[in-house]
Amino acid sequence: MTGLARTPRALHPIAWWLWALGLVAAASRITNPVLLAMLLAVLGFVIAQRRTDAPWARAFKYYLAMALVVIAIRVVFRSVFTTAAAPHEHVLFSLPLVHSPHWYAGVRLGGPVSIEGVLSATCDGLQLGTILCCIGAANVLANPKRALRVLPGALYELGVAVVVALSVAPQLVESAQRVRRARRLRAGHRRGLRGLRSIAVPVLEDALDRSLQLAAGMDSRGYGRTGAIGRAARRRTATLLLLGMLGLCVGTFGLLDAAAPWWLGLPTVVVGAALCVTGLLAGGRRIRRTVYRPDPWRAPEWVVAAGGVACAAVLLSDVGFGSADLVLSVAPLRWPTVPVVPAAAILLAGLAALAAPVPTPARAQIGRVDELHREPVAA
Amino acid sequence: MRVIRLLTTAVLGGGVLLLPGAAVAAAEPSHVGIVIGSQYACVRWHSGITGDDVLNQAAAVTYRSDGIVLTINGEPNPPHADDTHFWSYWHDTGGRWHYSGVGASAYQPKAGTVEGWSYDNGHADAPQPAAKPATLYAGICGARDKPEPKPTRSHTHHPVAPTTHVTPANPPRTSAPAPTTTTHAPVTATTATSRTTRPAKSAPGHSTGKSRPAPATRRHSTAAARPAPSTETTHPALRPAAQSLRPLPRPTDAAASDGGSPVRLLIGVGAAVVIGAGGVWTAIRRRRAD
């Protein structure tokens, strides 16, 4: 097994997604800042160890920045709009107070800002930010083009569009960098609007060229052909999907509204889901794909996926700790506790950094430009 | 002035209770009653007191981090709050419960009124607190007002003196305590239960929960002054509340309570720092290698 783990290869994208979604489920129960910090540290460590050199794999710092923005927004909103100033809270400072008229009671601007309010807003923001970073980690670690493969056949074209859209930004940045470098080599260093024009045109041209190459590559491999299914079958598929979606919508409403009749709830959801699945299966039949380079699912995949799922299971189970330990207590204000079991579960998920195989080094890959073309077509 | 008050007494009280004439001068109400589920307490009123203050003086309250009331005296257990599970906030409007349109910290109850809290356990409409408020204030706080017009200070900030104010648990007698079917969507949970606003200068004139000091109830306080439970059949259903309504721990006490072992906290923080540093170190090394 260790031999397998040492062979440089990409881990199955679904394993990374399961791992990350497990951590999302875990984080959704935590507002304890220490546990959240541990979770973030684990994410960062695993990414630093096992990310590839692809353009999308360098994006984790942006997710971290987004988490900071989330925290800032949360704190500002909490301070300005819904200040909690119970008699026993510690007031930090006071903002000017604006009253709302009585017919709009319950909302007001400004007022005293308490330590408790700021702390709880920070931790709530940290929780949301951590969840964002978990999703970011999955995006960074898993190759989106290979994850596309597991989409149901009927959604495949939609998925291709999403993946192409996702990889446009890094691709554009890369193009811009290349053009700038070339320009600098030729000592043509212009700034301002004129400089922008001299870069924008080659970059757009470059992107267009690549898109055309990609399209040609996909076309030559049999993409976009509709198979041998007639118009009637397509109509049937569309009807099934529409009805299924409608059922899901109405059923969700029925589930959430306590006053709705019982049959509008769970039964409608189940029927809607069944219709959707049938529609997707029927739609998927018209797309035939063969697998060129299958992603294997071996021991490392099991370990990584199990680490994330186990972490979620432990945190959702409340076994060996109290759910009160997972949240920051602001009333009364006190230092956060560090429950042992959840902390161990989070650290366990960090084993993914060791269990996952080392990704293929960039030099061994055929070339950057080729990367975009090769992957979806290979599917 | 007196005449007007007597008139109001007759008008308001007449329908509810048979009063023994208007000769007895009643004490000015100086407290606020509070009913939590089927339990109650009496809190000394002062100018500027908010619904949140009253609640906190009567019971141990925990809040969710966004300010929503999560538990009152440990209920519900485990703590839970969502759209259909929340503590609803009510005002006594002389005869019926009125769902509060503002948050507890934005509402300043008047002396002689009763505040209500009831837990909505999954219903679309929050249930009303267990007692009908027309005669409630007298039952809860009447004895406090009556003995001394100016109660002593030592009396003041303590919730429920157990023995004197407890009335027996009985099904409501005649007046169908029943639902005055005012239905209220739980959507207002956030406004009603969150401490969104500041106590001191809140909502200038909310018409919602304004209630008169209910003259009828004042009168009734003569009866309530007697501790003997057997005579209290005129009161709506109330369960003995004394043992479960205890004083709120002072904030300082609570803050002093330990927050778990500091060793574990340090280990946890240390682990996060070490792992994070490991990640940063690896990232830097990889960037150099590129």
Side-chain angles (χ1 to χ4, degrees):
Chain A
M1 286 300 129
T2 47
L4 276 180
R6 294 234 174 96
T7 318
R9 70 178 178 92
L11 197 79
H12 198 294
I14 298 304
W16 281 129
W17 273 100
L18 279 178
W19 178 78
L21 289 178
L23 292 185
V24 166
S28 68
R29 289 213 66 195
I30 307 175
T31 60
N32 185 330
V34 181
L35 290 179
L36 286 177
M38 288 173 76
L39 194 48
L40 275 178
V42 161
L43 287 179
F45 185 69
V46 172
I47 287 170
Q49 290 283 339
R50 290 297 183 260
R51 73 169 171 84
T52 62
D53 292 314
W56 62 80
R58 296 163 185 270
F60 191 60
K61 49 179 177 286
Y62 302 117
Y63 288 100
L64 284 178
M66 211 191 315
L68 283 182
V69 171
V70 166
I71 294 175
I73 289 178
R74 188 102 200 182
V75 170
V76 167
F77 267 67
R78 176 67 184 265
S79 304
V80 173
F81 290 105
T82 59
T83 318
H88 49 81
E89 292 194 337
H90 308 77
V91 174
L92 270 180
F93 57 90
S94 284
L95 295 172
L97 185 65
V98 181
H99 285 293
S100 55
H102 73 274
W103 46 263
Y104 201 56
V107 176
R108 60 151 202 186
L109 299 174
V113 177
S114 68
I115 298 177
E116 284 88 347
V118 170
L119 269 183
S120 71
T122 308
C123 288
D124 285 350
L126 188 62
Q127 180 190 33
L128 191 53
T130 309
I131 289 174
L132 276 175
C133 285
C134 289
I135 299 296
N139 273 323
V140 164
L141 289 165
N143 186 337
K145 293 163 197 162
R146 299 194 82 89
L148 179 63
R149 187 171 293 173
V150 297
L151 273 185
L155 294 180
Y156 200 72
E157 280 150 22
L158 196 67
V160 171
V162 168
V163 167
V164 169
L166 278 180
S167 45
V168 156
Q171 218 63 246
L172 274 179
V173 170
E174 208 196 322
S175 292
Q177 280 172 351
R178 248 166 3 121
V179 170
R180 260 230 315 264
R181 210 181 310 139
R183 205 148 276 276
R184 213 177 300 145
L185 283 175
R186 280 179 244 137
H189 197 68
R190 273 183 290 185
R191 290 183 167 278
L193 206 60
R194 195 175 294 172
L196 183 73
R197 204 176 52 195
S198 66
I199 283 188
V201 173
V203 165
L204 287 178
E205 196 192 338
D206 193 45
L208 195 65
D209 278 350
R210 286 187 187 199
S211 306
L212 286 176
Q213 276 177 20
L214 175 63
M218 290 168 79
D219 190 38
S220 70
R221 284 161 171 95
Y223 240 80
R225 295 180 193 161
T226 46
I229 289 186
R231 178 179 288 183
R234 259 187 313 209
R235 285 232 175 104
R236 209 162 45 232
T237 308
T239 315
L240 278 174
L241 273 175
L242 269 181
L243 283 178
M245 294 286 176
L246 199 67
L248 281 181
C249 282
V250 173
T252 312
F253 175 77
L255 271 183
L256 294 179
D257 182 15
W262 64 270
W263 50 266
L264 214 54
L266 202 58
T268 318
V269 169
V270 171
V271 170
L275 285 177
C276 273
V277 169
T278 320
L280 285 179
L281 287 180
R285 242 183 307 162
R286 76 192 156 97
I287 296 168
R288 300 258 169 98
R289 286 179 290 144
T290 54
V291 175
Y292 168 49
R293 282 182 308 181
D295 283 319
W297 186 280
R298 300 207 185 105
E301 275 82 4
W302 282 115
V303 174
V304 169
V309 173
C311 183
V314 167
L315 275 151
L316 295 177
S317 71
D318 276 358
V319 173
F321 63 95
S323 58
D325 293 337
L326 296 181
V327 297
L328 178 80
S329 157
V330 290
L333 195 61
R334 58 180 191 187
W335 290 103
T337 57
V338 180
V340 176
V341 177
I346 290 171
L347 292 182
L348 198 74
L351 283 183
L354 307 175
V358 181
T360 328
R363 291 167 208 83
Q365 284 172 1
I366 300 164
R368 278 283 168 68
V369 184
D370 195 37
E371 175 83 1
L372 183 67
H373 306 165
R374 204 183 44 199
E375 302 293 344
V377 174
Chain B
M1 188 63 204
R2 166 65 62 90
V3 176
I4 294 172
R5 193 178 296 160
L6 292 184
L7 265 177
T8 349
T9 307
V11 171
L12 283 173
V16 186
L17 295 166
L18 293 174
L19 296 171
V24 184
E28 281 297 316
S30 58
H31 290 77
V32 177
I34 178 169
V35 171
I36 301 169
S38 54
Q39 302 167 331
Y40 64 90
C42 184
V43 170
R44 177 113 172 97
W45 181 87
H46 61 80
S47 165
I49 194 171
T50 65
D52 201 40
D53 296 335
V54 173
L55 177 65
N56 273 284
Q57 287 183 34
V61 189
T62 62
Y63 300 91
R64 211 164 71 175
S65 61
D66 55 0
I68 299 218
V69 172
L70 195 55
T71 67
I72 297 181
N73 279 339
E75 285 198 41
N77 187 21
H80 178 63
D82 64 26
D83 280 358
T84 51
H85 300 82
F86 63 95
W87 279 98
S88 58
Y89 179 42
W90 302 76
H91 302 304
D92 150 23
T93 50
R96 52 165 43 185
W97 285 112
H98 190 281
Y99 194 75
S100 177
V102 294
S105 60
Y107 183 73
Q108 298 180 353
K110 291 196 159 67
T113 61
V114 181
E115 302 269 281
W117 291 86
S118 79
Y119 187 70
D120 178 10
N121 197 2
H123 295 95
D125 299 320
Q128 300 190 359
K132 192 169 149 298
T135 60
L136 206 55
Y137 177 73
I140 295 175
C141 295
R144 297 271 187 101
D145 289 340
K146 180 65 183 167
E148 280 181 283
K150 298 267 177 212
T152 55
R153 197 125 194 113
S154 64
H155 217 81
T156 49
H157 285 286
H158 289 285
V160 182
T163 46
T164 46
H165 306 292
V166 176
T167 42
N170 274 328
R173 26 142 221 164
T174 55
S175 60
T180 41
T181 60
T182 43
T183 54
H184 299 283
V187 184
T188 40
T190 39
T191 46
T193 54
S194 68
R195 298 166 298 159
T196 48
T197 36
R198 178 163 174 196
K201 348 169 164 178
S202 58
H206 20 237
S207 54
T208 48
K210 206 178 280 181
S211 59
R212 267 142 300 208
T217 63
R218 250 186 276 144
R219 185 60 61 78
H220 198 65
S221 63
T222 39
R226 278 170 304 188
S230 58
T231 61
E232 299 304 297
T233 46
T234 46
H235 289 305
L238 285 176
R239 222 167 52 207
Q243 68 271 31
S244 59
L245 284 182
R246 42 198 159 66
L248 187 77
R250 303 243 78 86
T252 46
D253 301 343
S257 75
D258 83 309
S261 100
V263 181
R264 270 197 278 165
L265 177 64
L266 285 180
I267 292 177
V269 173
V273 168
V274 167
I275 299 172
V280 170
W281 183 69
T282 320
I284 290 175
R285 218 183 37 168
R286 285 188 68 166
R287 180 171 298 171
R288 285 222 188 105
D290 280 352

